[in-house]
């Protein structure tokens, strides 16, 4: 018997432009003519309003190639009904392949399935070919950013989360039956989540169908998430095959999730009942149930992708063999083709949903007092960008990998477009006709205040941003502060902001890499996939609530701060009284400045960067050896030699000129004395700066410095800039280091280059070493978020137990003095660091002691 189903029709342009305030609260429902014998879920004469199906704007001029793209995606979405590889096996076409996103088991016929696919394809193609920023329009429950609106958002995200796991479990069973090597590693975790969902105490409530309003929000949120993912992938790389397959798999995924929303609980039970017999799913990822994101969230070495990477060698022409063998190879490549897109796109969607529903796998908890912040700042002498992300639970994750930063650039581009579009909407709304001639009052943060600000229960959600496509061009900056009074606006901003989380960035980058390296070589030449380069940009986006900002404002100067108040933001690394120092008053990322103040800041930052560039040029001639740094010092040697030469020649001249003018005195004794003085001065000059300076090196005008203090003495460069240079070039140099303060260096030996000076907080941050204050059972501690050049992903999460979860070693200090023992006179504080496994309960914030010295 066919199961009941209710799905929306695509929205018209007029319906999409209809404002929330004018929408009838009782949503008009229509039935699907295509559903045939299917009955409505709630009532025979009820269905979801067509407005729920599409939230993107209609483009004024549809691009010429949009129709061709839509036709290609429609073909790709039917890959299971016609799959062939002309360049691999031209004589084989498979038409009976299983569909990993099949909805026929849930009461939908194949004809209806194709019809629904086509509607999703049209929506997604429009989302990526239309340059207009995407929009989200919620129900009446999402008009204002109240506590109840956040609860609704969490509830809808939870429902999509459950539907996603049904899809994951269904696909895992198909793979277990047809291609066991590609079964996801976290299938047991997926089953546990579904079983927990089916056995909750409010089981009777869950069996009730969604209300029309909630179903509308489900569709709208899913549409907006998939559209944002599609646009970020589109902006990350050029490539016909990548774009077509991404849109096709997102269309199939969104279609299935919408179908599953009709009866989530019943369909979960049905999916669990369809488990393939004798399937032994891997236990990996099972420990992620106690509040932490599960294994998929931030894992770099994803075992699910390793098999796919190994298939790149199978893309050549198959050797002559039996037809069945060749068909089996093509069949395996079909599953690989599907999985390489599914794994990455699913990861992006789950990253978004997990942040919206609460970070626990099994329970739902809406956002309340929070800050979600992403920033890219320049590091080192070359200005290499570093991405740092703080989620709603104050967890920190970052990357400094060049390919990841380029991929994140697409997310920042989409986010900047979205925020400026929201700003334009709000300015247009506030500039409308008013009943009187008074201007609307301004709130304390400088944004326009309206009735939405005074709504009971408003969270006071605000977004502050500063984005430069060219990090060195301060004048070309997009920035502003907006009070987001509508929950729809909050959702419009938070979804692309979550796509900048490095774990999501890593998934997009993996998708692009797989599209490149698993493509056939001839196809790669015809339609190459080319990642886009976004260069050295800087960015800062902070979405926060009023309660969170108040908590941060009440903190003492020495207390740990959130990412939006970190020391390395707002060009603070370049704004001190001199290069290498922080300004006396460190501004936060959300502080405002007048136009004149911004101009002065821009000029100061420009001068500081010129100083840094000049210093970098003076270090270009350094040669890093295993035991030291070879530095040219011809001027110093020549000046010493010239002084000694003058003394020697002068002594000879005195002896020759005096002759016998002084009775009883041998004038050549003066010559001998001057020679001895010259030799003594030469020995002092050769030994005063370095411990050992061979004559060969001295005469050639070079010196091998074997410690930081020697290198600083010889070159006259401050020790902190030397640290920045050493840390920046450590990956490429052969230099080995030794103590006493070399914990932060990776390559060590007993007789290497001596790190005999402490490193400052300024040099640590400029090198990508960010100290994070954490809370453990024994009190406060410091843990280093190591984002030095080339780091793919590093994270510091709550309940982080490195011994159990990640088995990683961290640079850390086990105890930090509490407020009572801290000196009110903030002086240089020496903090001894160690490296090893550590554990903590939660992150408190970024360490804020500007005068700290790490030993």
């Amino acid at each position: 018997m066919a199961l009941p189903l209710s799905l929306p029709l695509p929205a018209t342009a007029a319906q999409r432009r209809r404002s929330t305030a004018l929408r009838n609260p009782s949503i008009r429902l229509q039935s699907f003519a295509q559903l045939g014998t299917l009955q409505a879920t709630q009532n025979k004469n009820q269905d979801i309003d067509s407005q729920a199906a599409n939230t993107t704007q209609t483009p004024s001029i549809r691009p010429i190639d949009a129709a061709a793209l839509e036709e290609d995606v429609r073909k790709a979405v039917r890959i299971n009904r016609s799959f062939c590889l002309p360049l691999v096996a031209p004589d084989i076409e498979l038409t009976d392949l299983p569909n990993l996103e099949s909805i026929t088991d849930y009461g939908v016929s194949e004809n209806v399935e194709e019809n629904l696919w086509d509607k999703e394809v049209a929506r997604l193609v429009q989302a990526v070919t239309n340059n207009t920023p995407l929009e989200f329009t919620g129900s009446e429950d999402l008009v204002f950013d109240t506590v109840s609106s956040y609860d609704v958002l969490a509830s809808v995200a939870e429902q999509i989360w459950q539907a996603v796991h049904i899809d994951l479990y269904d696909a895992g069973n198909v793979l277990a039956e047809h291609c066991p090597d590609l079964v996801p590693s976290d299938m047991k975790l997926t089953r546990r989540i579904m079983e927990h969902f089916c056995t909750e105490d409010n089981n009777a409530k869950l069996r009730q169908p969604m209300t029309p309003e909630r179903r509308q929000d489900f569709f709208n949120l899913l549409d907006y998430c998939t559209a944002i993912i599609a646009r970020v992938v589109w902006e990350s790389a050029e490539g016909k095959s990548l774009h077509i397959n991404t849109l096709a798999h997102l269309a199939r995924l969104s279609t299935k999730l919408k179908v599953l929303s009709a009866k989530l609980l019943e369909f979960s039970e049905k999916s669990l009942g369809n488990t393939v017999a004798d399937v032994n799913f891997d236990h990996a990822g099972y420990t992620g149930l106690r509040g932490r994101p599960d294994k998929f969230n931030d894992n770099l070495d994803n075992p699910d992708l390793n098999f796919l990477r190994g298939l790149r060698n199978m893309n050549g022409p198959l050797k002559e063999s039996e037809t069945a063998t060749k068909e089996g190879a093509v069949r395996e490549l079909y599953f690989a083709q599907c999985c390489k897109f599914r794994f990455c796109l699913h990861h992006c969607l789950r990253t978004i949903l997990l942040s919206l529903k609460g970070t626990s796998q099994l329970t739902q908890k809406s956002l309340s007092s929070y800050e979600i912040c992403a920033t890219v700042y320049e590091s080192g002498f070359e200005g290499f960008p570093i991405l740092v992300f703080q989620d709603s639970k104050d967890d920190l994750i970052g990357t400094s990998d060049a390919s990841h930063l380029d991929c994140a650039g697409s997310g920042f581009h989409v986010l900047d477009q979205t925020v400026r579009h929201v700003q334009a909407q709000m300015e247009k709304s506030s500039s409308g006709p008013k009943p009187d001639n008074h201007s609307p009052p301004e709130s304390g943060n400088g944004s326009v205040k309206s009735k939405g600000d005074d709504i009971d229960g408003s969270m006071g959600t605000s977004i502050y941003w500063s984005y430069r496509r060219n990090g060195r061009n301060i004048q070309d900056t997009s920035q502003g502060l907006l009070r987001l009074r509508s929950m729809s606006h909050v959702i419009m901003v938070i979804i692309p902001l979550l796509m900048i989380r490095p774990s999501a960035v890593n998934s997009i980058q993996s998708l692009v890499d797989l599209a490149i390296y698993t493509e056939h070589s001839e196809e790669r030449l015809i339609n190459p996939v080319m990642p886009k380069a976004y260069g050295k940009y800087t960015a800062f986006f902070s979405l926060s609530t009023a309660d969170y900002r108040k908590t941060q404002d009440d903190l003492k100067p020495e207390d740990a701060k959130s990412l939006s108040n970190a020391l390395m933001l707002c060009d603070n690394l370049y704004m001190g009284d001199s290069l290498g120092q922080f300004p006396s008053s460190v501004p936060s990322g959300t502080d405002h400045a007048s136009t004149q103040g911004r101009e002065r800041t821009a000029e100061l930052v420009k001068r500081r960067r010129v100083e840094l560039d000049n210093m970098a040029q003076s270090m270009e001639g350094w040669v890093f050896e295993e035991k030291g740094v070879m530095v040219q010092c011809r001027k110093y040697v020549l000046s010493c030699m010239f002084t000694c030469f003058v003394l020697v020649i002068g002594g000879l001249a005195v002896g020759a000129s005096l002759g016998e003018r002084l009775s009883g005195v041998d004038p050549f004794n003066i010559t001998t004395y001057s020679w001895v003085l010259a030799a003594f001065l030469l020995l002092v000059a050769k030994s005063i700066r370095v411990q050992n300076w061979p004559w060969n090196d001295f005469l050639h005008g070079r010196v091998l410095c074997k410690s930081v203090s020697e290198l600083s003495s010889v070159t006259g460069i401050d020790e902190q800039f030397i640290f920045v240079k050493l840390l920046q070039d450590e990956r490429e140099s052969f230099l080995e280091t030794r103590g006493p303060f070399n914990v932060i260096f990776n390559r060590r030996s007993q007789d290497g280059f001596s790190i005999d000076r402490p490193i400052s907080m300024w040099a640590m941050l400029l090198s990508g070493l960010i100290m994070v204050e954490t809370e453990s059972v024994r009190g406060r501690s410091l843990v280093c978020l190591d984002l030095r050049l080339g780091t793919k992903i590093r994270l510091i999460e709550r309940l982080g137990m490195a011994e159990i979860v990640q088995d990683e070693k961290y640079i850390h200090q086990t105890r930090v003095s509490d407020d009572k023992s801290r000196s009110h006179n903030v002086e240089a504080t020496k903090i001894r660091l160690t490296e090893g496994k550590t554990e903590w309960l939660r992150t408190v914030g970024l360490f804020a002691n500007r005068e700290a010295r790490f030993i």
Side-chain angles (χ1 to χ4, degrees):
M1 179 179 178
L3 292 173
L5 176 67
S6 177
L7 290 172
L9 290 168
T12 64
Q15 288 171 327
R16 282 191 298 271
R17 289 193 295 266
R18 189 189 311 164
S19 65
T20 306
L22 296 179
R23 192 187 303 121
N24 191 336
S26 58
I27 301 175
R28 184 171 55 88
L29 305 176
Q30 298 175 346
S31 61
F32 254 145
Q34 304 97 312
L35 294 181
T37 59
L38 299 178
Q39 298 177 353
T41 304
Q42 299 149 5
N43 196 296
K44 289 184 179 181
N45 59 355
Q46 289 185 338
D47 204 326
I48 299 299
D49 184 79
S50 60
Q51 187 177 4
N54 198 322
T55 60
T56 57
Q57 290 184 331
T58 302
S60 55
I61 300 178
R62 191 176 177 87
I64 298 176
D65 60 345
L69 174 64
E70 184 173 328
E71 183 62 27
D72 290 337
V73 178
R74 285 184 176 181
K75 293 179 181 178
V77 84
R78 295 165 171 81
I79 185 174
N80 63 303
R81 295 171 189 174
S82 177
F83 181 75
C84 62
L85 297 171
L87 299 177
V88 177
D91 56 335
I92 295 179
E93 179 180 4
L94 302 180
T95 59
D96 60 342
L97 294 167
N99 179 9
L100 298 184
E101 295 89 8
S102 175
I103 56 178
T104 54
D105 290 339
Y106 300 101
V108 181
S109 66
E110 291 187 357
N111 291 334
V112 174
E113 183 181 50
E114 291 190 1
N115 186 30
L116 298 178
W117 282 346
D118 291 341
K119 293 179 184 298
E120 293 300 314
V121 167
R123 175 182 65 82
L124 291 169
V125 168
Q126 178 180 327
V128 297
T129 57
N130 175 19
N131 292 327
T132 305
L134 302 173
E135 290 188 4
F136 173 87
T137 302
S139 64
E140 296 292 337
D141 295 330
L142 300 176
V143 174
F144 300 110
D145 66 325
T146 59
V147 176
S148 60
S149 296
Y150 276 97
D151 291 339
V152 170
L153 175 61
S155 175
V156 174
E158 169 75 14
Q159 291 164 338
I160 301 178
W161 173 263
Q162 297 298 338
V164 165
H165 280 84
I166 297 175
D167 175 64
L168 285 171
Y169 198 74
D170 288 346
N173 279 287
V174 174
L175 292 172
E177 182 178 359
H178 298 278
C179 191
D181 290 331
L182 286 175
V183 174
S185 59
D186 57 353
M187 280 299 295
K188 180 160 282 190
L189 173 63
T190 299
R191 181 179 181 87
R192 177 67 180 273
I193 292 174
M194 293 175 61
E195 289 176 345
H196 178 79
F197 176 67
C198 294
T199 57
E200 287 188 355
D201 295 335
N202 55 348
N203 194 283
K205 179 180 178 181
L206 290 175
R207 292 189 181 278
Q208 297 296 323
M210 297 184 196
T211 63
E213 291 81 3
R214 200 61 61 244
R215 192 94 182 280
Q216 174 195 357
D217 290 331
F218 183 104
F219 279 51
N220 286 351
L221 182 60
L222 180 59
D223 285 349
Y224 188 69
C225 290
T226 53
I228 288 293
I229 294 173
R231 183 165 285 193
V232 170
V233 174
W234 192 274
E235 296 288 347
S236 298
E238 296 285 353
K240 182 178 179 181
S241 61
L242 171 66
H243 294 166
I244 290 175
N245 285 286
T246 297
L247 297 180
H249 282 79
L250 284 175
R252 289 157 66 112
L253 174 61
S254 59
T255 298
K256 181 166 185 177
L257 298 185
K258 290 179 179 180
V259 170
L260 293 174
S261 68
K263 286 191 174 182
L264 275 176
L265 188 60
E266 292 185 17
F267 290 163
S268 295
E269 295 171 344
K270 183 177 180 64
S271 177
L272 290 172
N274 292 336
T275 303
V276 176
D278 301 327
V279 172
N280 184 20
F281 291 129
D282 189 6
H283 200 273
Y286 193 71
T287 58
L289 293 172
R290 296 186 59 82
R292 292 184 296 275
D294 60 337
K295 187 176 180 180
F296 81 87
N297 202 31
D298 299 300
N299 187 25
L300 283 174
D301 299 324
N302 191 334
D304 302 334
L305 300 179
N306 292 335
F307 180 78
L308 295 175
R309 295 187 180 101
L311 290 177
R312 67 182 68 175
N313 296 324
M314 294 183 59
N315 287 336
L318 296 178
K319 297 180 181 180
E320 291 295 332
S321 60
E322 296 296 330
T323 303
T325 304
K326 294 173 67 176
E327 287 185 359
V330 174
R331 185 177 296 269
E332 186 178 44
L333 289 174
Y334 159 77
F335 289 109
Q337 172 81 356
C338 294
C339 287
K340 72 181 181 183
F341 288 94
R342 274 186 56 87
F343 288 154
C344 299
L345 297 176
H346 258 281
H347 181 280
C348 292
L349 183 58
R350 286 189 285 171
T351 298
I352 294 173
L353 296 175
L354 195 61
S355 298
L356 297 180
K357 69 176 284 294
T359 52
S360 172
Q361 299 286 336
L362 302 181
T363 60
Q364 170 194 326
K365 184 178 181 182
S366 62
L367 299 173
S368 53
S369 176
Y370 73 92
E371 175 184 85
I372 300 177
C373 182
T375 184
V376 175
Y377 77 97
E378 294 182 343
S379 68
F381 291 107
E382 305 296 331
F384 296 111
I386 291 178
L387 168 61
V388 188
F389 185 92
Q390 175 186 302
D391 66 11
S392 59
K393 298 300 180 183
D394 295 335
D395 294 340
L396 293 166
I397 178 172
T399 179
S400 59
D401 181 74
S403 60
H404 283 62
L405 266 298
D406 281 334
C407 192
S410 64
F412 278 111
H413 176 65
V414 173
L415 177 58
D416 180 61
Q417 281 186 331
T418 302
V419 173
R420 288 190 284 114
H421 181 64
V422 171
Q423 183 184 34
Q425 284 186 329
M426 295 179 64
E427 290 176 351
K428 182 178 179 181
S429 172
S430 62
S431 63
K434 301 179 179 62
D436 52 36
N437 295 326
H438 297 287
S439 299
E442 289 190 355
S443 60
N445 56 20
S447 60
V448 176
K449 186 176 181 180
S450 73
K451 294 180 180 180
D453 295 307
D454 300 325
I455 295 297
D456 292 339
S458 174
M459 301 290 291
T461 314
S462 296
I463 175 73
Y464 179 84
W465 78 100
S466 177
Y467 177 60
R468 303 180 208 144
R469 285 208 166 190
N470 182 356
R472 294 296 175 97
N473 187 2
I474 299 180
Q475 302 298 333
D476 184 20
T477 302
S478 167
Q479 65 179 9
L481 172 64
L482 284 179
R483 165 70 173 88
L484 303 178
R485 298 179 289 272
S486 168
M487 194 63 196
S488 294
H489 285 160
V490 173
I491 295 173
M492 285 179 63
V493 172
I494 198 173
I495 302 302
L497 180 56
L498 291 173
M499 282 298 297
I500 301 172
R501 182 183 174 93
S503 55
V505 171
N506 181 63
S507 296
I508 298 297
Q509 184 62 43
S510 298
L511 177 62
V512 174
D513 290 344
L514 286 170
I516 294 174
Y517 295 117
T518 60
E519 193 70 74
H520 191 276
S521 57
E522 295 184 14
E523 179 67 22
R524 193 181 304 133
L525 294 175
I526 299 173
N527 296 305
V529 176
M530 302 293 294
K532 294 182 180 179
Y534 283 82
K536 296 179 181 178
Y537 61 92
T538 60
F540 172 78
F541 289 83
S542 175
L543 181 70
S544 59
T545 58
D547 287 344
Y548 191 94
R549 294 191 297 272
K550 184 178 183 304
T551 301
Q552 290 294 313
D553 292 339
D554 293 340
L555 294 175
K556 299 177 181 178
E558 65 271 15
D559 290 338
K561 304 293 194 304
S562 67
L563 181 57
S564 63
N565 298 279
L567 295 175
M568 68 278 193
L569 299 184
C570 301
D571 296 310
N572 289 335
L573 297 177
Y574 309 100
M575 292 173 58
D577 295 335
S578 62
L579 189 62
Q581 296 181 354
F582 292 105
S584 57
S585 177
V586 178
S588 67
T590 56
D591 285 346
H592 281 284
S594 62
T595 303
Q596 186 178 5
R598 287 196 298 267
E599 292 177 354
R600 288 197 302 268
T601 299
E603 184 62 29
L604 176 61
V605 171
K606 184 178 180 180
R607 291 200 307 269
R608 293 286 185 262
R609 282 175 171 165
V610 170
E611 295 178 26
L612 206 62
D613 292 340
N614 294 336
M615 196 170 299
Q617 291 179 2
S618 66
M619 299 178 179
E620 289 181 354
W622 294 3
V623 178
F624 292 93
E625 301 182 3
E626 290 185 1
K627 309 303 180 184
V629 180
M630 184 69 73
V631 178
Q632 297 295 328
C633 54
R634 290 189 178 90
K635 291 182 179 180
Y636 178 77
V637 172
L638 290 176
S639 62
C640 293
M641 297 292 289
F642 177 77
T643 302
C644 295
F645 178 80
V646 169
L647 288 173
V648 171
I649 298 300
L652 288 173
V654 169
S657 61
L658 288 178
E660 296 181 355
R661 295 179 184 180
L662 297 177
S663 59
V665 176
D666 184 0
F668 284 96
N669 287 336
I670 300 176
T671 301
T672 303
Y673 174 78
S674 65
W675 285 19
V676 172
L677 179 61
F680 175 76
L681 291 177
L682 187 61
L683 289 175
V684 171
K686 197 171 80 71
S687 304
I688 193 172
R689 293 191 173 183
V690 296
Q691 183 178 5
N692 183 22
W693 195 346
W695 280 106
N696 181 273
D697 288 343
F698 180 82
L699 295 176
H700 283 85
R702 64 193 182 210
V703 58
L704 182 65
C705 302
K706 294 188 176 182
S707 68
V708 173
S709 57
E710 288 184 357
L711 188 56
S712 177
S713 177
V714 170
T715 62
I717 297 177
D718 187 88
E719 299 159 353
Q720 301 307 318
F721 302 119
I722 293 176
F723 278 120
V724 175
K725 176 66 175 178
L726 296 178
L727 291 170
Q728 174 184 287
D729 297 346
E730 186 180 20
R731 288 168 57 91
E732 301 175 356
S733 71
F734 298 98
L735 184 67
E736 298 176 350
T737 64
R738 60 184 174 91
F741 310 135
N742 67 329
V743 176
I744 61 176
F745 290 89
N746 296 322
R747 192 179 290 109
R748 306 168 192 169
S749 70
Q750 295 297 326
D751 57 346
F753 184 81
S754 177
I755 307 300
D756 57 350
R757 292 291 186 271
I759 183 171
S760 68
M761 173 68 82
W762 182 89
M764 291 273 284
L765 291 175
L766 192 63
S767 303
L769 298 172
I770 303 172
M771 299 307 298
V772 180
E773 192 167 331
T774 61
E775 182 178 320
S776 63
V777 177
R778 297 174 180 85
R780 297 291 178 90
S781 59
L782 289 181
V783 180
C784 180
L785 181 62
D786 189 348
L787 299 178
R788 279 174 281 193
L789 179 64
T791 302
K792 287 189 176 296
I793 284 185
R794 292 284 288 185
L795 69 160
I796 297 179
E797 296 179 307
R798 68 215 166 283
L799 291 178
M801 292 178 290
E803 295 180 301
I804 299 175
V805 180
Q806 301 180 42
D807 196 26
E808 292 184 0
K809 294 182 178 180
Y810 289 87
I811 299 171
H812 67 280
Q813 191 213 29
T814 54
R815 292 293 298 273
V816 177
S817 58
D818 55 20
D819 294 339
K820 294 181 180 180
S821 58
R822 287 178 181 172
S823 173
H824 294 286
N825 182 18
V826 183
E827 299 176 352
T829 305
K830 291 186 178 180
I831 301 175
R832 181 168 296 278
L833 299 176
T834 58
E835 184 178 19
K837 295 179 180 180
T838 184
E839 57 185 46
W840 61 90
L841 297 176
R842 68 179 184 92
T843 56
V844 179
L846 278 74
F847 192 53
N849 189 345
R850 294 174 290 171
E851 305 299 326
R853 294 291 187 271
F854 299 95
I855 60 177

